[in-house]
Amino acid sequence: MAEVFRVKAFGVEGFQKTFALKRILPHISEDPEFITMFIDEAKIASRLHHGNICQIYEFGRVGDFYFQLMEYIAGFDLRSLNEKLQAENRKLPLSFLLHVIARACEGLDYAHRKTDSTGNPLNIIHRDVSPQNIMIGFEGTTKLIDFGIAKAKSRASKTQAGVIKGKFAYMPPELLRGEAIDGRADVFSLGIVLHELLTGQGLFDRETDLDTLRAVMAAEVPPPSSIDPSVPDFVDKVVLKALTAMPADRYANAEDFQEDLERCVMMTGQPMSSNKVRKFMAEQFPRVLHTEREKAQHFATFSETGEVALSSGQPQQLQPCLLY
């Protein structure tokens, strides 16, 4: 529904900065509901200023094209990262995985607790926590992305009764039961991500959407160690608590989940940090990192006077951004 470009902003005295620009595809631009959701995403995420959330700087329109200007992250989403390792019969190190999920918890907890300028809670819930929406950067950062269907008190678009938004395999059962949700819904979704990366198997994903929804409703969660015996018991306990069917029995908030994950990292005997994540990424994907750096060097030579052709075929000057 959208495409993403690397772009460059220019300022005085030769100032330059690289961003990512997400632009709605032309045929989607004709859908008022989607445009409203896109605007909502920009409004919600632009209020979030945290090291574990991808920053949105600007929302705008050029001709018929709506766009978001946001932080550029060189790296992989968690699903792509895991798939690359699985293709070589490798898996993410336990301490690495626990650290990354803990950082995602940190970003979620900040979003859940976010208030407006007067101190009133914004009631932000991501609602689409999945491996695709957790980015791991070559700089060692972990970033939550895509608040496109986030629930917030201030959003303009409202979900109609009977309509379910999000990825079925990562939904909490209370959402399907039609109950009110809070930050514990995101905790459950992140617990699914952790379980799947620990075991190498989908937890609730089935052949059909209906079967997937039934599996989510049943919420039968085997301990990860029953699938992969190398998973320690203390990690089992944390995962199972995050994946309790009833929210009241789950972690009360993402911060509590984060603290237990960090304790688990220490118990593995292999402390992890963002710097160690950076080194791991460089060691595991040297060719990708080299290519990224080559692209960055090439991109650095682009000037602010270039013209680009959008999908309409008509050359347009995008200031202050240059599509790449």
Side-chain angles (χ1 to χ4, degrees), residues 105-323:
C105 280
E106 193 171 352
L108 285 174
D109 188 67
Y110 167 84
H112 295 161
R113 298 179 189 273
K114 182 67 175 175
T115 62
D116 62 19
S117 58
T118 62
N120 295 314
L122 292 175
N123 299 323
I124 295 174
I125 308 167
H126 191 288
R127 290 205 301 178
D128 197 17
V129 176
S130 61
Q132 302 95 304
N133 289 334
I134 302 173
M135 288 290 297
I136 312 299
F138 282 116
E139 295 298 322
T141 55
T142 300
K143 301 272 187 178
L144 287 167
I145 64 172
D146 199 353
F147 280 75
I149 64 168
K151 177 180 174 62
K153 184 171 64 176
S154 61
R155 70 176 297 137
S157 63
K158 304 296 182 182
T159 301
Q160 298 177 2
V163 176
I164 301 174
K165 293 182 178 180
K167 301 177 181 70
F168 292 162
Y170 295 94
M171 287 183 176
E174 62 266 29
L175 181 62
L176 302 183
R177 293 194 296 261
E179 300 171 3
I181 61 171
D182 55 26
R184 292 171 295 183
D186 286 340
V187 168
F188 189 89
S189 299
L190 193 57
I192 298 173
V193 174
L194 178 55
H195 191 287
E196 293 184 342
L197 293 173
L198 286 169
T199 63
Q201 298 180 11
L203 181 57
F204 298 127
D205 195 20
R206 302 292 188 269
E207 291 187 2
T208 68
D209 288 344
L210 181 58
D211 286 340
T212 296
L213 293 173
R214 286 171 174 164
V216 171
M217 286 291 289
E220 296 178 356
V221 182
S225 63
S226 68
I227 301 171
D228 184 345
S230 69
V231 177
D233 290 344
F234 55 83
V235 174
D236 274 349
K237 293 178 181 178
V238 172
V239 175
L240 294 177
K241 184 171 182 178
L243 289 173
T244 303
M246 301 305 295
D249 300 324
R250 208 175 295 160
Y251 284 106
N253 50 59
E255 182 182 26
D256 290 348
F257 190 14
Q258 172 196 340
E259 290 177 352
D260 272 1
L261 288 168
E262 290 174 342
R263 277 191 282 269
C264 286
V265 172
M266 299 304 296
M267 292 172 70
T268 66
Q270 298 178 323
M272 184 59 58
S273 65
S274 295
N275 192 45
K276 290 183 178 180
V277 171
R278 178 186 61 80
K279 292 179 179 178
F280 174 85
M281 296 289 285
E283 292 170 356
Q284 299 301 315
F285 306 103
R287 292 184 180 179
V288 179
L289 180 57
H290 178 71
T291 300
E292 171 62 29
R293 287 172 174 168
E294 285 187 331
K295 288 181 178 180
Q297 290 174 357
H298 176 61
F299 189 61
T301 66
F302 282 31
S303 72
E304 62 181 314
T305 58
E307 283 192 343
V308 295
L310 301 184
S311 301
S312 62
Q314 298 297 320
Q316 297 189 34
Q317 192 73 36
L318 296 188
Q319 295 291 349
C321 300
L322 180 68
L323 294 183

Side-chain angles (χ1 to χ4, degrees), residues 15-36:
F15 173 84
Q16 300 180 10
K17 185 173 178 62
T18 299
F19 298 95
L21 184 146
K22 180 161 70 171
R23 186 181 72 183
I24 295 180
L25 294 174
H27 68 283
I28 301 295
S29 297
E30 300 173 0
D31 184 341
E33 182 180 356
F34 185 81
I35 294 299
T36 302

Side-chain angles (χ1 to χ4, degrees), residues 69-124:
L69 189 68
M70 51 192 179
E71 180 180 2
Y72 177 74
I73 306 166
F76 299 112
D77 65 75
L78 197 49
R79 182 178 69 172
S80 298
L81 177 61
N82 189 54
E83 287 177 347
K84 287 179 179 295
L85 293 176
Q86 282 186 329
E88 300 175 3
N89 293 317
R90 295 184 294 156
K91 60 186 300 185
L92 290 168
L94 179 59
S95 60
F96 177 101
L97 178 55
L98 296 172
H99 170 84
V100 165
I101 300 301
R103 300 287 69 75
C105 280
E106 193 171 352
L108 285 174
D109 188 67
Y110 167 84
H112 295 161
R113 298 179 189 273
K114 182 67 175 175
T115 62
D116 62 19
S117 58
T118 62
N120 295 314
L122 292 175
N123 299 323
I124 295 174

Side-chain angles (χ1 to χ4, degrees), residues 43-50 53-56 110-111 114 122 124 147:
K43 288 181 177 179
I44 292 170
S46 65
R47 296 188 178 197
L48 303 176
H49 306 278
H50 190 274
I53 296 176
C54 179
Q55 179 69 53
I56 291 184
Y110 167 84
K114 182 67 175 175
L122 292 175
I124 295 174
F147 280 75

